[in-house]
Amino acid sequence: MKAVTQPRAFETREKILQAAARLFALKGYHDTKLDEVLGTAQVSKGAFFHQFRDREDLGFAVLDWHMEKRRQLLDAIEQELPLAKQADPLQHVFRRLDAIQEMVHRRENCKGGCIIGNMSMALSDCHDGFRKRLAECFDEMAQEFLPHLEAAARQGRVTRRTNTSELARYVVTVIEGAIMQARTLGDAKLLPRQLAYLKEHLKKCLVP
């Protein structure tokens, strides 16, 4: 019986997480009612409470689920992109930026904003637990770039002081801000332009 119910439970959990993620991205955490999640996922309240303690527990689970799916998708896209034969560390940074650009392009027809950005604006001032978890999400994004930025700084023997941790956070700031502005302005080419400027700035910072 256990071997039968476990896959079914996993499928139910995935349906709930997918539905909640779509609604949080479209309407925000506060404006998404539990009944909407259940209706979209087509599951019962009993099935929901078998998986999650409450709506807050669901919110944390959505963040974990989103970050895992994001990482998997970016890794897969990155493997499809060409890499120079003698790629220096900065080229690895650029490759990740190209993967992010491609990911956003693939999601152009999806309604709703960035779950991390939406929930950060809605919850950081009123829920310390969510604020800390969301901060970890941004830190995780920055960590994707930090090792290669540090390697680029060492390889370039940059003499001026360069705080690669802050530089990694700056990269995330540009990405998230550009995604938000591109959607607000209805300009699909804004993100590619901003990432091109970002690449030039990183070269100036890390290539002597």
Side-chain angles (χ1 to χ4, degrees):
M1 179 66 70
K2 188 175 182 180
V4 175
T5 57
Q6 279 187 336
R8 186 176 300 171
F10 176 80
E11 182 182 348
T12 299
R13 184 179 181 86
E14 282 291 300
K15 287 168 64 176
I16 295 170
L17 289 169
Q18 287 177 11
R22 286 198 301 270
L23 289 166
F24 289 171
L26 183 63
K27 302 181 62 176
Y29 177 80
H30 288 307
D31 291 330
T32 298
K33 307 303 180 187
L34 181 56
D35 285 343
E36 292 179 280
V37 176
L38 301 181
T40 302
Q42 296 184 325
V43 300
S44 66
K45 280 191 176 181
F48 174 85
F49 285 110
H50 182 72
Q51 297 288 338
F52 306 98
R53 292 189 304 273
D54 49 29
R55 185 165 165 272
E56 182 178 288
D57 187 35
L58 173 64
F60 283 109
V62 165
L63 289 176
D64 293 340
W65 180 86
H66 171 77
M67 292 301 293
E68 178 64 22
K69 294 296 183 183
R70 175 187 180 276
R71 181 169 53 252
Q72 291 175 357
L73 178 56
L74 285 175
D75 288 347
I77 293 173
E78 197 169 321
Q79 291 302 312
E80 299 170 4
L81 299 176
L83 183 65
K85 292 182 179 179
Q86 296 181 341
D88 61 44
L90 202 52
Q91 291 302 316
H92 286 282
V93 173
F94 293 171
R95 195 173 185 224
R96 193 65 167 187
L97 292 175
D98 291 342
I100 291 171
Q101 182 177 319
E102 174 60 22
M103 178 183 71
V104 173
H105 173 69
R106 293 182 185 184
R107 293 176 173 175
E108 279 181 1
N109 295 324
C110 297
K111 293 183 178 180
C114 170
I115 295 174
I116 305 301
N118 286 359
M119 293 182 72
S120 293
M121 294 298 293
L123 295 167
S124 292
D125 289 340
C126 61
H127 195 299
D128 197 51
F130 272 121
R131 182 192 62 76
K132 290 178 180 178
R133 180 65 188 97
L134 288 158
E136 290 172 357
C137 291
F138 284 117
D139 286 341
E140 182 178 327
M141 294 178 192
Q143 284 296 322
E144 295 176 0
F145 297 99
L146 183 58
H148 294 306
L149 291 173
E150 290 177 338
R154 290 193 300 270
Q155 182 173 299
R157 297 192 178 95
V158 179
T159 55
R160 59 184 177 279
R161 184 176 179 179
T162 300
N163 188 328
T164 49
S165 294
E166 285 303 316
L167 195 57
R169 192 173 297 278
Y170 169 72
V171 170
V172 175
T173 301
V174 172
I175 293 168
E176 292 298 303
I179 291 173
M180 179 180 66
Q181 285 198 60
R183 184 170 292 273
T184 302
L185 299 173
D187 184 355
K189 295 182 179 180
L190 188 145
L191 178 62
R193 292 199 305 270
Q194 293 301 306
L195 293 186
Y197 282 124
L198 176 59
K199 290 177 182 179
E200 290 302 316
H201 179 69
L202 292 175
K203 288 178 183 177
K204 292 178 182 178
C205 289
L206 297 171
V207 179

